[in-house]
Amino acid sequence: MTEANAIKLFKCLADKSRLQILKSLMQEDMYVERLAERLGLTPATISFHLKKLAEIGAVTSEKTQYYTMYSLCRDTFSMTILDVLKEQSDEAELQAQRERAYRQKVIDAFFEYGKLKSIPAQRKKERIVLEEIVKAFEPGRIYSERDVNIIIADYNDDFCTIRRDMISERLLDRDSRGYWRIFPEGRT
């Protein structure tokens, strides 16, 4: 289900009468007059709601003799909310562009000529700054504390705070052998 179709479905389901119609159709197929009687609504109101439900693929209809029988389209509802959320967003590239622009804005604000002017007070901005600094560490290499301090000192004199924050943000890890860069996949 596309993001646009999911939005239409959720908007359509945000109506009590439509939900009651769907609940009734879940029990058995029905025609307009029976639904109207059952739900205490006029046939015209039921027809209006059924049209909306048919447009999003929630119900199907079949003409039998004098009546049109409506059925619940179970396939439409077999998807979970998580399935809908996993679908690629129509705005994914636009969101990624905004994220890149924001990250660049933070980097431009806190770095000057490759040096960190100050450590951001806001955690999300500090994370961006730390991610920029951690790029100086080679993947798979183990560094001594002295080497880590020297690399960080190239960016800012407060290497102790930055080193500690890089560890707490899980960008660097350490043990008795030394320090190394962490990647999302795990320890490297």
Side-chain angles (χ1 to χ4, degrees), residues 93-118:
E93 183 53 38
L94 180 59
Q95 291 169 0
Q97 287 175 359
R98 288 180 189 141
E99 175 67 20
R100 287 189 297 271
Y102 177 75
R103 291 179 71 79
Q104 192 58 51
K105 181 179 172 185
V106 170
I107 289 168
D108 292 344
F110 286 95
F111 286 92
E112 188 173 81
Y113 304 113
K115 292 287 242 177
L116 181 63
K117 295 188 280 188
S118 64

Side-chain angles (χ1 to χ4, degrees), residues 91-175:
E91 294 187 8
E93 183 53 38
L94 180 59
Q95 291 169 0
Q97 287 175 359
R98 288 180 189 141
E99 175 67 20
R100 287 189 297 271
Y102 177 75
R103 291 179 71 79
Q104 192 58 51
K105 181 179 172 185
V106 170
I107 289 168
D108 292 344
F110 286 95
F111 286 92
E112 188 173 81
Y113 304 113
K115 292 287 242 177
L116 181 63
K117 295 188 280 188
S118 64
I119 299 171
Q122 240 181 12
R123 186 171 182 203
K124 67 180 181 179
K125 291 179 180 178
E126 182 186 15
R127 173 73 188 203
I128 292 169
V129 165
L130 295 176
E131 287 172 352
E132 191 65 19
I133 294 171
V134 83
K135 291 176 183 176
F137 292 88
E138 294 176 31
R141 180 174 166 196
I142 296 178
Y143 295 85
S144 68
E145 185 169 316
R146 181 178 182 280
D147 291 337
V148 171
N149 293 343
I150 290 169
I151 291 171
I152 295 172
D154 285 344
Y155 293 94
N156 190 281
D157 293 335
D158 193 357
F159 53 83
C160 291
T161 300
I162 293 172
R163 183 185 69 233
R164 183 195 66 226
D165 290 350
M166 289 175 97
I167 290 169
S168 70
E169 287 290 330
R170 305 285 302 141
L171 296 170
L172 287 181
D173 204 354
R174 66 177 174 194
D175 64 14

Side-chain angles (χ1 to χ4, degrees), residues 6 9-10 12-13 16 24-25 38 55 76 78 96 98 109-110 112 148 157 174 181:
L9 175 65
F10 292 142
C12 193
L13 294 178
K16 185 178 179 180
S24 295
L25 293 177
R38 181 181 184 135
E55 286 173 0
T76 301
S78 64
R98 288 180 189 141
F110 286 95
E112 188 173 81
V148 171
D157 293 335
R174 66 177 174 194
R181 182 176 173 179

